[in-house]
Amino acid sequence: MAENKEPSQRQLRVAQEIKRVITSVLERGDMRSEEIRSAFITLTEVRVSPDLKYVTAYVMTLNGKNLGLVLEMLNAEKGVFKKQIASKLQLRYTPDITFRADDTFAEVDRIEKLLRHPKVAQDLKKTEPEE
């Protein structure tokens, strides 16, 4: 089982640079896919593997609109992003990119709904200190 170690400074630096390159490509609209060019895409996070050979880019669309289709198109056109990364960054290997949905917003929403549930709210009131 793999350990969940914190990313190294190098991983964080490379991830930040790759995020900058991907964002630049998205802003310029350098893709063939009209779905990507017309979608409001937010690149929320980029994670790089310890060997710097694999990148996972987490994205979200405005209100989650067409997210599945946009992810499919981004993954189909990852060569465009790889080419830009190779030309802009001085890395030994150009990493393979995988685009995934960022589900953190959905998770936050789920937790907030749980906290607003009447039974949970009642329990929370019991644990609040008296003033």
Side-chain angles (χ1 to χ4, degrees), residues 3-20 22 43-59 85 91 94-105 107:
E3 288 183 40
N4 262 347
K5 293 186 351 183
E6 289 291 314
S8 69
Q9 286 300 312
R10 178 149 173 78
Q11 280 175 272
L12 293 171
R13 233 180 10 258
V14 169
Q16 197 61 32
E17 289 300 310
I18 289 174
K19 184 176 182 180
R20 188 180 53 75
I22 292 173
L43 182 62
T44 56
E45 184 180 4
V46 171
R47 292 185 190 163
V48 179
S49 66
D51 62 4
L52 306 180
K53 290 184 180 181
Y54 301 96
V55 169
T56 304
Y58 293 90
V59 297
I85 290 167
L91 299 172
T94 302
D96 188 41
I97 305 168
T98 302
F99 289 92
R100 291 203 174 136
D102 184 345
D103 58 3
T104 54
F105 297 109
E107 185 66 13

Side-chain angles (χ1 to χ4, degrees), residues 10 14 85-93:
R10 178 149 173 78
V14 169
I85 290 167
S87 72
K88 304 262 191 255
L89 305 180
Q90 303 299 314
L91 299 172
R92 184 172 291 158
Y93 305 101

